[in-house]
Amino acid sequence: MRNRLLNAAERLLVKQGVDAIRLDAVAAEAGVSKGGLLYHFPTRLALVQGVVERLADRFEEVLPGPDAPPGAFARAWLDASIPAEAPEDETTASDSVPVALLAAANGPEVLDILQERYRTWQSRLEQDGLAPGVATLVRMAVDGWWTARLLGLADPKGEDHRQLRRLLTDLTQRTAPAGPTDRTDSPDRTGPAKETGATEKADQTEEPDQAEKADQTEEAG
């Protein structure tokens, strides 16, 4: 029943906006009595908070943990938000974040939930192993895409959409450059150096031996 009510609230948010979230309207959309709704969500605020928390939990489920390879978090963020093909008018899974933001417009009590999640996600993006600023750039592009889609602001379609997706995917593969390598640990540096030193010592040892042999030969002659 709880998920049924939250689904109804999400549909109303997408179709009619924040003002459509009224207890009687959500109950009617879900096909339940208002008393049944009040059992799970005693106030409008509790209902909207439930929408945001569930959407944030769903988004969190597709994001990798801290042990993921470089770029994995940014790539998962992209995959969870922008589909490979431009969606049609119907609501898709990629609409979860904008729906949550619509719900958050109900007031600071709701917005606080989303802001806290975003602070955590942004911190993880910054530690994703990509070149500085790249993961945040991907996030900003994603945010811009679904904002344009939600508000009908000429979001890209067809090949334009696919090209945008490819460019963002390429960004998630730009890992941070490796730091300076310790001279004592670099085989490229220590290997040849040691070999050269050993060769020089060998040459120095061989030269006296050869000179002594030449002198002995002359004396014998």
Side-chain angles (χ1 to χ4, degrees):
M1 174 69 76
R2 178 183 174 86
N3 282 332
R4 183 176 174 181
L5 291 165
L6 293 175
N7 291 341
E10 287 181 21
R11 290 195 298 271
L12 288 176
L13 273 170
V14 173
K15 292 188 296 185
Q16 302 177 34
V18 177
D19 293 339
I21 303 300
R22 302 184 307 275
L23 295 181
D24 54 348
V26 173
E29 178 72 18
V32 302
S33 67
K34 188 172 181 179
L37 182 150
L38 291 173
Y39 176 80
H40 294 279
F41 301 103
T43 65
R44 180 178 183 274
L45 176 59
L47 175 61
V48 177
Q49 287 177 325
V51 169
V52 173
E53 288 173 347
R54 189 178 70 158
L55 288 170
D57 287 342
R58 286 178 174 176
F59 193 69
E60 180 72 33
E61 287 174 359
V62 304
L63 300 176
D67 296 331
F73 194 88
R75 178 60 184 271
W77 186 283
L78 172 62
D79 290 342
S81 305
I82 302 183
E85 295 292 333
E88 301 299 329
D89 291 337
E90 68 270 12
T91 303
T92 68
S94 63
D95 292 320
S96 294
V97 175
V99 169
L101 283 181
L102 277 174
N106 279 265
E109 300 90 344
V110 182
L111 185 58
D112 284 348
I113 298 172
L114 206 54
Q115 287 176 334
E116 180 61 31
R117 294 295 186 101
Y118 260 87
R119 281 191 288 269
T120 300
W121 292 334
Q122 178 60 29
S123 176
R124 290 166 65 181
L125 280 166
E126 292 170 355
Q127 300 172 21
D128 198 27
L130 298 180
V134 170
T136 299
L137 177 61
V138 171
R139 181 202 143 194
M140 293 293 99
V142 167
D143 290 353
W145 177 84
W146 53 248
T147 299
R149 167 166 161 69
L150 185 67
L151 300 179
L153 302 177
D155 51 310
K157 303 293 185 184
E159 183 55 31
D160 288 340
H161 174 91
R162 289 188 287 273
Q163 178 64 17
L164 170 66
R165 190 69 163 66
R166 284 193 293 268
L167 290 172
L168 291 175
T169 299
D170 289 344
L171 285 176
T172 66
Q173 298 170 357
R174 296 190 180 185
T175 56
T181 305
D182 189 345
R183 294 180 62 90
T184 60
D185 296 333
S186 173
D188 293 338
R189 292 180 178 178
T190 59
K194 289 180 179 178
E195 183 179 348
T196 301
T199 303
E200 290 176 355
K201 290 180 179 179
D203 291 343
Q204 292 171 0
T205 303
E206 290 174 1
E207 288 176 1
D209 291 343
Q210 291 174 356
E212 290 176 4
K213 289 180 181 179
D215 293 340
Q216 292 173 358
T217 302
E218 290 177 0
E219 291 176 358

